[in-house]
Amino acid sequence: MAGETLAPGNRLTSPSQMHPVCKAFVCGSLSGTCSTLLFQPLDLVKTRLQTQQLSAPGRNVGMVHIFLKVIRNENFLGLWKGVSASFLRCIPGVGLYFSTLYSLKEHIFLGKDLAPLQSVLLGAGSRTVAGVCMLPFTVVKTRYESGNYGYKSVFGALGNIYRIEGPRGLFSGLTATLLRDAPFSGIYLMFYTQTKMFTIHNNITTTFTPLTNFSCGIIAGILASVSTQPADVIKTHMQLSRAKYCWTGQAALCIYQKEELNIFKIIQEIALHTSPRFFLVLSKVS
């Protein structure tokens, strides 16, 4: 009846009463939404830079040039092209990553503080689960951002890829994606957990903790990106030219033979890959 107090069993569950795994999923999904919306332009520019290697090998195109070209030809909102695929990939994907991370930590490591190697294994394992599940959306996201495909919708793109390329098309670049994502997440989580342990053990005031975590997060991102940048390039090439490459090694060899070692381009792509997205998500749910 109206005006009656709800019985305890009928009350809506508050965030603090949620199961930790569900809470990790919800917090990760919300953080993934914010980071995707903020950093989608950087993902698009990174993909366009790597696409140039396919269309015009050896041609040097700067990051700023790509930004201005997109705005000029596709208007300012063109920088968010592919954001729908990014949402479908990141919102459940980040939630799945953090819920898997929590479950593995509680059941395998019994909730204890992690050693560096344990952090690497935990981060890599959790990202592998999320990466495999979300890979079809990653393929669509990459093709949207490249500007070379005229898909009308995300699910239309999934259907088109399935009809033309079969199930393998939806999982193109799987090995390269895992070679990029698993080490990146493992290295990043290792530096992040070690930083948190350092701040706790040294009684750093809460005022400086965010700045300390952010600084170490940037360093961790750079190291992780340098380690996984080749796999990121291979992933993009395989997802944009599925018929051209039969396996990851062939793609790597082809890229190596055709491309000159352009340090400036590599630095640009690493800077874009090391956007604050992953650290922003990690710090929000921790």
Side-chain angles (χ1 to χ4, degrees):
M1 291 179 64
E4 281 189 316
T5 303
L6 289 173
N10 294 331
R11 288 177 183 167
L12 293 175
T13 302
S14 67
S16 60
Q17 295 173 322
M18 292 175 64
H19 190 281
V21 174
C22 296
K23 187 176 180 180
F25 185 91
V26 171
C27 291
S29 297
L30 291 174
S31 299
T33 302
C34 296
S35 62
T36 297
L37 193 60
L38 286 172
F39 301 120
Q40 176 63 22
L42 298 182
D43 270 354
L44 182 136
V45 171
K46 176 174 71 72
T47 300
R48 294 287 174 94
L49 280 170
Q50 293 175 352
T51 303
Q52 287 292 140
Q53 298 170 3
L54 283 169
S55 58
R59 182 185 174 191
N60 296 327
V61 179
M63 183 173 65
V64 176
H65 174 80
I66 295 290
F67 264 114
L68 296 177
K69 183 178 178 180
V70 172
I71 293 172
R72 184 171 60 249
N73 295 340
E74 305 174 38
N75 70 50
F76 183 73
L77 292 179
L79 292 170
W80 276 266
K81 188 172 185 178
V83 73
S84 55
S86 293
F87 277 139
L88 289 171
R89 167 181 172 260
C90 288
I91 294 175
V94 176
L96 181 60
Y97 169 76
F98 280 103
S99 57
T100 305
L101 190 72
Y102 178 85
S103 298
L104 291 177
K105 183 178 179 182
E106 292 299 310
H107 292 92
I108 296 179
F109 300 108
L110 305 177
K112 299 176 182 178
D113 289 338
L114 299 173
L117 180 58
Q118 291 174 329
S119 297
V120 172
L121 294 175
L122 183 61
S126 302
R127 190 63 178 266
T128 298
V129 172
V132 171
C133 293
M134 296 294 112
L135 189 60
F137 294 109
T138 303
V139 174
V140 174
K141 169 183 172 294
T142 302
R143 294 189 179 188
Y144 259 115
E145 291 171 352
S146 72
N148 295 335
Y149 294 82
Y151 298 133
K152 301 297 182 182
S153 67
V154 174
F155 292 102
L158 290 171
N160 182 271
I161 294 171
Y162 181 82
R163 285 193 303 272
I164 296 175
E165 304 174 36
R168 290 188 63 182
L170 295 173
F171 289 89
S172 57
L174 173 61
T175 302
T177 299
L178 295 182
L179 287 174
R180 179 198 68 169
D181 288 354
F184 184 92
S185 296
I187 294 170
Y188 214 120
L189 184 63
M190 177 191 70
F191 277 93
Y192 185 74
T193 53
Q194 294 304 304
T195 301
K196 289 189 71 175
M197 291 172 62
F198 175 81
T199 57
I200 292 171
H201 293 159
N202 290 274
N203 297 318
I204 295 178
T205 61
T206 54
T207 304
F208 296 103
T209 298
L211 179 60
T212 303
N213 286 346
F214 184 80
S215 300
C216 291
I218 293 297
I219 295 172
I222 292 172
L223 294 174
S225 293
V226 169
S227 304
T228 59
Q229 178 61 22
D232 188 51
V233 174
I234 295 169
K235 174 198 77 76
T236 301
H237 280 240
M238 292 191 72
Q239 291 176 348
L240 293 178
S241 303
R242 174 71 187 87
K244 186 177 180 180
Y245 305 113
C246 297
W247 61 294
T248 305
Q250 180 192 9
L253 182 61
C254 182
I255 294 168
Y256 177 78
Q257 290 175 339
K258 290 186 177 181
E259 287 295 317
E260 298 176 356
L261 183 61
N262 190 321
I263 298 299
F264 182 65
K265 183 185 291 184
I266 292 172
I267 291 173
Q268 286 185 101
E269 292 180 9
I270 288 175
L272 292 170
H273 192 193
T274 319
S275 72
R277 169 184 293 187
F278 190 79
F279 180 71
L280 176 67
V281 172
L282 194 59
S283 61
K284 281 184 178 180
V285 299
S286 298

